[in-house]
Amino acid sequence: MPMARTAAKAKTSRKAADKSGENVPPVADDLLLDFYRRMLLVRRFEEKVGQMYGMGLIGGFCHLYIGQEAVVVGIDTAIGPEDAVITSYRCHGHALIRGVEPKAVMAELTGRAGGVSQGKGGSMHMFDLERGFYGGHGIVGAQVPLGAGIAFAQKYRGDGNITMIFFGEGAANQGQVYETFNMASLWKLPVVFVVENNQYAMGTAIARAKAGTELCHRGEAFGIPGMQVDGMDVEKVYAATRKALDHVRSGDGPILVEMQTYRYRGHSMSDPAKYRSKDEVQKVRAEHDPIDHLRETIARRGVADDDQLKQIDKEVKSAVAEAAEFAQTSPEPDLGELMTDIYVDHAAA
Ligand SMILES: Cc1ncc(C[n+]2csc(CCOP(=O)(O)OP(=O)(O)O)c2C)c(N)n1
């Protein structure tokens, strides 16, 4: 994808990347509209979060997902409800798309009792076991070995489920990631490692911190095959994920999928943005926006007209407004909740 080269010129790699997801057959009309609605939900939700943060209604760290919507939606559509998902602190979109109610995500952000983690986790700690959503983790890369543990349990139980482990390209330099690759491959764990390569780790562009920017190759020493995917195109993400799942389901162990994407907003809400130009961001927005791209596809294939798409936007905005209202009116957690949900209650379990 040309966009991915705006921040970094990829160095020549040992062999050509598996560009899985290219030339994929078009998906059904209904699915295209479903992609659209869900990507728009993440976009509008995050825009609202940005506003509410500015108004002082949300405290602590807060990392928006705007620009990366095609990744989470394409992947979630390919996996099943019993599969597990674990990710970093940039987790609002993942929680929403896994099926957590927008109200519960927003109320978590405002620290209210109606939040998905009862208002005690905040932006970085969305967690919903019922939906197989294992968070939301603030320590860079920590979710990678944790995810392998979930996959180990899946294999041990023989339930046939798969764990999707998301991490950033910044996290991809960490030792714990490679220790996990080793064990996951050795034990043939049912894992898809998803690197969301949004080009920047806080203020560090990928080329400044990486010896070898084609991250899809980073599992090869461990026998983990890699795929490189245009993460701004939801159809390609969906097709590549299905292929990755086939590999894992066949019992061949993990696979690594590099999703080439882009973060439009700052790393978190306080970001001086001195590490890239406004023109760079504008160019990606103008030429590679995943939602604009999908809208054009929908129009070109005659799946829906402008009015129908506007109606979807209206419905999404209204769900987000309702979530924002709930997040401001839900009560704060009771003080008696201070010491609960810290350790597993083995007596009750
Ligand atoms: C172990 C650890 N080191 C450093 C930090 C500070 N930190 C938070 S986010 C971040 C950048 C991570 O970038 P990346 O993995 O690319 O994910 P992205 O934020 O782009 O989604 C850093 C260094 C941290 N939270 N944990």
Side-chain angles (χ1 to χ4, degrees), residues 78-279:
I79 66 177
E82 303 294 321
D83 292 323
V85 171
I86 190 164
T87 188
S88 72
Y89 42 82
R90 202 176 296 285
C91 63
H92 316 156
H94 291 79
L96 285 172
I97 294 306
R98 220 22 339 221
V100 182
E101 284 294 318
K103 282 179 178 177
V105 180
M106 199 65 100
E108 192 53 48
L109 284 157
T110 54
R112 304 302 176 102
V116 66
S117 303
Q118 291 80 50
K120 296 186 284 183
S123 165
M124 302 200 282
H125 300 289
M126 306 288 162
F127 195 96
D128 189 344
L129 206 51
E130 254 176 56
R131 293 180 174 79
F133 184 64
Y134 289 83
H137 294 269
I139 307 299
V140 169
Q143 73 276 18
V144 179
L146 291 174
I150 298 166
F152 185 90
Q154 289 168 328
K155 182 158 181 168
Y156 185 76
R157 293 184 190 127
D159 59 21
N161 296 325
I162 289 174
T163 301
M164 310 298 295
I165 303 179
F166 291 85
F167 55 105
E169 86 292 339
N173 268 4
Q174 282 201 348
Q176 62 182 330
V177 170
Y178 298 95
E179 292 178 46
T180 306
F181 282 1
N182 182 55
M183 284 186 276
S185 182
L186 181 69
W187 297 332
K188 297 208 181 308
L189 298 183
V191 171
V192 181
F193 293 104
V194 182
V195 188
E196 292 198 70
N197 179 1
N198 66 11
Q199 316 298 320
Y200 293 95
M202 298 187 88
T204 308
I206 177 168
R208 289 186 58 214
K210 305 256 172 316
T213 53
E214 301 243 314
L215 303 179
C216 58
H217 295 302
R218 288 200 167 198
E220 282 170 9
F222 304 92
I224 301 176
M227 293 157 62
Q228 192 174 53
V229 182
D230 177 353
M232 302 301 258
D233 183 327
V234 68
E235 283 186 281
K236 289 180 181 167
V237 172
Y238 176 62
T241 307
R242 283 165 54 113
K243 194 170 163 189
L245 292 171
D246 283 348
H247 171 90
V248 175
R249 287 205 184 100
S250 70
D252 283 348
I255 190 163
L256 172 64
V257 186
E258 177 191 354
M259 294 290 175
Q260 295 190 317
T261 181
Y262 195 81
R263 152 170 76 68
Y264 290 177
R265 296 290 186 95
H267 164 73
S268 66
M269 301 309 290
S270 57
D271 180 341
K274 292 200 171 132
Y275 50 88
R276 62 181 178 186
S277 67
K278 284 196 178 123
D279 285 354

Side-chain angles (χ1 to χ4, degrees), residues 23-29 32 235 297 301:
N23 306 318
V24 295
V27 303
D29 292 0
L32 270 194
E235 283 186 281
T297 306
R301 294 194 199 149

